[in-house]
Amino acid sequence: MSGSQDPRSPSTHHHSALRRRGVRVVRRLVVLGAGAAVLAGCGGSDGGDPETTTAGKAATTRAFSLTLDFAPNAAHTGLYLAQEEGLFAERQVGVKIRVPGSGADGAKLLATGKTDLAVMDIHDVALAREKGADIVAVGAIVQRPLAAVLAAKDVARPRALEGRTVGVTGLPSDDAALDQIVRGDGGDPRKVKRVTIGFEAVASVVSGKVDAAIGFWNAEGVALQARRPGTNVFRLDAYGAPSYPELLLVATSKTLTRSGDAVLRVAEAVGQGYAVAAEAPATDDGSAIAALRSGSGDRTIDPRTTAEQLQAVQPAFRDEQGRTGTLDRATMRRWATWEAQVGITKTPPDVTKLVWSRAPGA
């Protein structure tokens, strides 16, 4: 499933000095633990703007635009922490994070040069490449599948959905997720009634319009259980789907040819930002939520709801080896096989072409 997270919002109020200090302590520990080093120089400086480094020496900083997959929310905290804590600047890259417009398509924005980098759902990447799009994954944002069946209280398990109604958005990945979850519990997905509800999963389940709906467990799942305690959330990878990174950081091969060294530094900074986000306090006045709100300027973000979502998604910032930002080729190959088996793509995506050879962890 893609593009179905509820919008989150930020405001412009600043962090306290204490919160800033707390994030920087975590960040320094991450750097020491990972043995990270700031790379000197900047490849592909065309389009970059002259700036001054923290050391006070003139340098050319490659500037990138990065478009999100959806309105700023807890899944994006690592990006805003990387920006807030100067992790991009340390690597002599500038990143302007943009919020997509209604119905924005990351693949089209990349193809038309309207953005240099984009956060995209892995299924959207696979489908776009199948249609010939020149997009390549350069890093991971969230390392686990986010799709889930969100069910009413009286739906005790997925196979109980036989003969009942489930809402889907109309995206092909929705049907694949529903089939996998029901089949993984020993049920027959052909006996499940489906109705298209768009992106109204929570409202549709709460109102009783449907018995369950497909949604992201880190967003709609959290919202549903907050409104209706006792409702059930059945996660995709708990019912036979392989673990895979749901959200990817992507670019075009043209950008990588022109500015590969700089893109690598962006990907490293993003990984470090998510290492900080994975350890940040999941509280409404914590550093991660403050960075999200101040960095995005979105005044509609609710700190309490976003903190609940951050608490849910934090474990998904790390892969099975505990790393952040990485793209593991073995994991991606298992996902590619499954992607075709469940009918999202016609053939397994070519991981050697989909994953950039220089991506962290590749």
Side-chain angles (χ1 to χ4, degrees), residues 23 25 63 88 99 184 204 218 351:
V23 171
V25 168
F88 295 125
V99 178
S204 297
N218 64 305
V351 172

Side-chain angles (χ1 to χ4, degrees), residues 268-283:
E268 290 175 337
V270 168
Q272 190 178 339
Y274 275 93
V276 176
E279 303 298 329
T283 57

Side-chain angles (χ1 to χ4, degrees), residues 11-30:
S11 78
T12 54
H13 80 79
H14 298 288
H15 315 113
S16 68
L18 179 61
R19 287 200 298 268
R20 289 178 181 272
R21 197 175 305 122
V23 171
R24 288 179 178 132
V25 168
V26 173
R27 184 187 130 212
R28 282 194 287 271
L29 290 174
V30 170

Side-chain angles (χ1 to χ4, degrees), residues 182-246:
V182 173
R183 187 185 302 113
D185 191 41
D188 185 349
R190 294 172 299 180
K191 296 180 180 179
V192 178
K193 301 175 184 178
R194 304 168 198 230
V195 59
T196 301
I197 60 171
F199 299 105
E200 299 296 329
V202 175
S204 297
V205 175
V206 169
S207 67
K209 178 180 179 180
V210 296
D211 299 297
I214 295 292
F216 276 178
W217 54 258
N218 64 305
E220 290 98 337
V222 171
L224 176 64
Q225 291 186 320
R227 291 182 61 179
R228 289 290 187 274
T231 49
N232 297 299
V233 176
F234 307 120
R235 299 189 185 187
L236 179 62
D237 53 349
Y239 292 92
S243 180
Y244 57 78
E246 182 80 42

Side-chain angles (χ1 to χ4, degrees), residues 19-249:
R19 287 200 298 268
R20 289 178 181 272
R21 197 175 305 122
V23 171
R24 288 179 178 132
V25 168
V26 173
R27 184 187 130 212
R28 282 194 287 271
L29 290 174
V30 170
V31 173
L32 291 173
V38 176
L39 303 179
C42 181
S45 61
D46 55 306
D49 300 319
E51 294 182 0
T52 301
T53 66
T54 53
K57 298 179 180 180
T60 299
T61 296
R62 176 64 167 94
F64 292 94
S65 54
L66 190 165
T67 302
L68 302 179
D69 58 312
F70 208 69
N73 60 74
H76 302 132
T77 50
L79 294 169
Y80 285 101
L81 280 168
Q83 187 179 66
E84 173 73 17
E85 293 303 305
L87 302 181
F88 295 125
E90 284 181 0
R91 289 166 170 79
Q92 296 180 15
V93 288
V95 175
K96 180 176 179 58
I97 302 173
R98 296 175 176 174
V99 178
S102 176
D105 184 325
K108 290 182 180 178
L109 293 174
L110 289 164
T112 56
K114 293 182 179 179
T115 191
D116 300 306
L117 302 164
V119 175
M120 290 183 63
D121 184 277
I122 192 170
H123 308 302
D124 291 342
V125 172
L127 289 168
R129 283 191 57 86
E130 191 169 64
K131 295 177 181 178
D134 171 31
I135 52 177
V136 183
V138 302
I141 301 297
V142 175
Q143 296 279 8
R144 299 179 190 174
L146 297 178
V149 169
L150 318 179
K153 292 181 183 181
D154 61 343
V155 180
R157 55 190 305 165
R159 70 187 186 196
L161 288 169
E162 291 182 356
R164 306 183 77 166
T165 302
V166 177
V168 295
T169 64
L171 297 170
S173 53
D174 277 20
D175 286 314
L178 177 57
D179 289 352
Q180 178 70 62
I181 292 170
V182 173
R183 187 185 302 113
D185 191 41
D188 185 349
R190 294 172 299 180
K191 296 180 180 179
V192 178
K193 301 175 184 178
R194 304 168 198 230
V195 59
T196 301
I197 60 171
F199 299 105
E200 299 296 329
V202 175
S204 297
V205 175
V206 169
S207 67
K209 178 180 179 180
V210 296
D211 299 297
I214 295 292
F216 276 178
W217 54 258
N218 64 305
E220 290 98 337
V222 171
L224 176 64
Q225 291 186 320
R227 291 182 61 179
R228 289 290 187 274
T231 49
N232 297 299
V233 176
F234 307 120
R235 299 189 185 187
L236 179 62
D237 53 349
Y239 292 92
S243 180
Y244 57 78
E246 182 80 42
L247 299 180
L248 303 176
L249 180 65

